[in-house]
Amino acid sequence: MITIKVLLRSREENFFLNNRFYCYTQLKLILGEREEERNLKLAQRINMKSDRKIITNNRFSLIGEIPLAILSLFFYKAMKFIVGNLYTFYLTVDKKKTFQWRVLSAENLKSSLSLPVLMTKGPRWNTHAIIGTLGPFSVKESIALDTESAKNSAGSWIAVIYSFPSYQTITSLESDRLNSQDKWETLKLKPGKYSIGLRYYQWRDRVNLPAVTIDGVEFVSSCPVPSDTNNFYYDLIKHKNWFYLALHYYIFTILRLRKYLPESFVRNEYLPVGAPDTQFVYGYLMRGQSLQIESNSSLVKNYNIYLTLYDRSSLPLFWSKIESEKFLTQPIENHGFYLIRLRSKPNLEGNSAIKLPIESQLKDEDSLVQRLQIFLPY
C-alpha cells in the first residue's frame, strides 16, 4: 500500500513539473492564500532542470540575436531621423495642427504618419494617461495654462514644456506643486519655439484640455475630450508588423545585456522622454515568464504605481495600476519587456508630494517567475 502511494505521488510531482500552466495556477492560488512559505517551496519546484535547460538554450540564442540587434539599432536611428524630419515638415506646412490640441486617440492614429512618428519618438506607450500635445509655437516672454480646467479633469496631471525641434525638457507644471486657489499658472521662457506635452492621470468623467495663452494672447481655448479616449490601446497590437518589429527588435536584446552595457545607454534607448516627476523601473521577460512585483507598504501608500507590458515591437499587451504589495502577471506569450512608472501621491496635509529615489532589485531572473522588489530606501 505504501509503495502504491509513493508511485502515485511521484507521478503527481512529475506532472506538476512538466505542466507550466498548472504551476502558474497553483502559484496564483498560493499568493491568494498569502502563504509565503508555500510560495517559496512552489517556486523551487518550478525552477527544476527542465526549466533550466530552456533558459540555457535561450542564453545560446542570445549570441545569434546580437547581429540582428545591431542592425535593428541602426535601422531605428535612421527611421527616427527620417520620420522626425517628415513630421517637422508636416507641422510647418499644416499650421492648423499647431493651433489645436492633438489628443492621442483612435482618431489621431488614422493619419498615416501618426503611428510611425509615435513609434520613433515615444515608443514606450503610456497607457495610464490621456495625452495631449500642442505646438510648435513661438514664445517671446511667457506662456500661461488654465490650470483650473486641468484640476477639474484629472486627479493628477503634468504639463511639460519642450524645446522644438530638439524636444528637450525645459520646464513643467505639476498638479501636486501648485497652489490650489490659482486658476492660471504662468511660466517665463526664453525667446524660441516650444511645444507642450500634457498627461492626465486618474481622469474624471468630464475631461477638458486647458486653454493656453502665449505672451498674454490666447493661443488655444479649452478643449473637451471623451473620457474613453484611451480605449484604442486595446486594439493597438493589431498594428504589429515587420516594420515596427524591426524598429524595436534591439530593445529586448540590450535589456538582456543590461549588466554588460553602460546604464546610460540602456536608459536613453529604452525610456521615453519622461515627465520630471516620474520614476521608472524596467526590464525584460522571456517567453513564458511571469513578473511578480513586490512593493513595501510605504511605497504603495505614497506612490501611484503603473505597469505596462510590451511585446517585442513595443506595442502594449497589458497594463494595470498596482495597488497591492504583491502583484503577479500572467506568463507572457512571446519575448517582451515591461515599464513601471512611479508617481508620488500628494501629501494631503501639506498638499505636497513625497519624492524620494526608488530602489529596485530583481531576483530569480532566469526562473519562470521573475521577482522584482521595489522599495523606498528607508
Side-chain angles (χ1 to χ4, degrees):
M1 186 69 177
I2 295 174
T3 304
I4 293 173
K5 286 185 176 179
V6 171
L7 288 172
L8 288 174
R9 185 176 180 181
S10 178
R11 289 179 181 177
E12 186 176 81
E13 287 181 349
N14 287 335
F15 172 78
F16 182 84
L17 292 173
N18 293 326
N19 192 318
R20 294 189 175 191
F21 179 76
Y22 180 80
C23 293
Y24 174 73
T25 305
Q26 292 300 308
L27 184 55
K28 288 286 283 186
L29 290 173
I30 290 171
L31 288 174
E33 295 168 358
R34 298 180 180 178
E35 296 182 10
E36 185 65 23
E37 293 182 2
R38 289 180 64 189
N39 179 28
L40 293 175
K41 288 180 181 179
L42 181 58
Q44 291 172 357
R45 296 176 75 182
I46 289 175
N47 200 15
M48 298 298 287
K49 291 183 180 179
S50 60
D51 300 316
R52 290 171 185 159
K53 185 176 180 181
I54 293 173
I55 297 300
T56 301
N57 290 337
N58 284 327
R59 284 173 178 165
F60 283 118
S61 71
L62 180 58
I63 299 174
E65 283 189 7
I66 293 176
L68 292 175
I70 294 173
L71 290 174
S72 171
L73 173 61
F74 283 112
F75 181 65
Y76 174 78
K77 296 298 184 182
M79 288 299 101
K80 184 177 181 180
F81 176 79
I82 294 170
V83 174
N85 280 289
L86 285 174
Y87 185 60
T88 300
F89 177 74
Y90 168 74
L91 291 177
T92 303
V93 173
D94 191 358
K95 293 187 180 289
K96 290 182 180 179
K97 296 291 183 181
T98 66
F99 288 88
Q100 60 188 26
W101 282 106
R102 299 182 297 280
V103 181
L104 188 53
S105 62
E107 184 66 27
N108 178 264
L109 293 181
K110 289 180 180 179
S111 169
S112 59
L113 190 59
S114 291
L115 196 53
V117 168
L118 292 165
M119 290 295 278
T120 51
K121 286 194 172 295
R124 248 54 76 199
W125 300 81
N126 187 345
T127 53
H128 307 279
I130 289 179
I131 298 175
T133 57
L134 182 66
F137 45 77
S138 296
V139 177
K140 293 181 180 179
E141 294 182 356
S142 66
I143 181 174
L145 273 77
D146 167 25
T147 52
E148 184 176 32
S149 293
K151 294 171 189 174
N152 293 335
S153 299
S156 177
W157 59 271
I158 179 168
V160 183
I161 311 299
Y162 301 106
S163 60
F164 184 86
S166 62
Y167 291 99
Q168 298 295 315
T169 300
I170 303 301
T171 186
S172 64
L173 288 174
E174 303 168 27
S175 58
D176 53 20
R177 292 185 177 181
L178 300 180
N179 187 328
S180 59
Q181 296 180 352
D182 294 337
K183 296 183 178 181
W184 285 79
E185 289 290 335
T186 301
L187 294 171
K188 297 292 185 180
L189 298 173
K190 295 179 180 179
K193 279 196 169 185
Y194 301 91
S195 64
I196 301 176
L198 179 69
R199 300 171 180 89
Y200 276 171
Y201 293 88
Q202 304 167 37
W203 59 90
R204 313 189 201 285
D205 292 335
R206 296 184 63 181
V207 179
N208 288 281
L209 302 185
V212 176
T213 64
I214 298 176
D215 298 325
V217 179
E218 183 177 271
F219 182 74
V220 65
S221 58
S222 179
C223 170
V225 175
S227 60
D228 61 353
T229 292
N230 278 14
N231 285 355
F232 77 95
Y233 284 118
Y234 293 106
D235 296 321
L236 196 56
I237 191 63
K238 295 179 181 178
H239 292 276
K240 181 177 179 177
N241 56 36
W242 69 268
F243 176 73
Y244 299 128
L245 180 59
L247 279 177
H248 302 290
Y249 184 88
Y250 77 100
I251 290 294
F252 177 79
T253 306
I254 67 172
L255 288 175
R256 289 184 67 186
L257 294 171
R258 186 175 176 182
K259 63 181 71 174
Y260 306 109
L261 297 171
E263 182 60 26
S264 59
F265 168 74
V266 178
R267 183 174 60 250
N268 291 335
E269 291 301 320
Y270 186 68
L271 292 185
V273 182
D277 66 339
T278 303
Q279 299 188 59
F280 302 96
V281 178
Y282 52 95
Y284 73 93
L285 289 173
M286 302 289 292
R287 181 187 297 109
Q289 279 190 315
S290 300
L291 179 67
Q292 178 176 303
I293 301 169
E294 302 171 1
S295 311
N296 60 20
S297 57
S298 59
L299 186 73
V300 175
K301 178 181 178 181
N302 294 305
Y303 281 78
N304 290 312
I305 307 170
Y306 303 102
L307 165 70
T308 305
L309 298 183
Y310 306 90
D311 82 326
R312 192 156 189 170
S313 59
S314 197
L315 292 169
L317 296 170
F318 169 82
W319 53 95
S320 178
K321 183 180 180 183
I322 300 174
E323 300 180 297
S324 59
E325 294 181 25
K326 283 189 178 180
F327 185 92
L328 179 66
T329 70
Q330 292 188 7
I332 193 168
E333 292 185 5
N334 293 295
H335 298 336
F337 31 85
Y338 61 86
L339 178 61
I340 300 173
R341 292 172 168 89
L342 300 106
R343 290 174 48 81
S344 57
K345 297 178 181 178
N347 183 341
L348 296 180
E349 294 181 1
N351 196 33
S352 62
I354 299 176
K355 295 185 185 298
L356 293 171
I358 302 295
E359 295 185 6
S360 64
Q361 184 176 7
L362 184 62
K363 297 184 177 181
D364 303 326
E365 184 175 357
D366 292 341
S367 143
L368 286 179
V369 180
Q370 287 190 14
R371 292 176 55 209
L372 177 65
Q373 297 178 336
I374 310 176
F375 51 90
L376 291 171
Y378 66 84

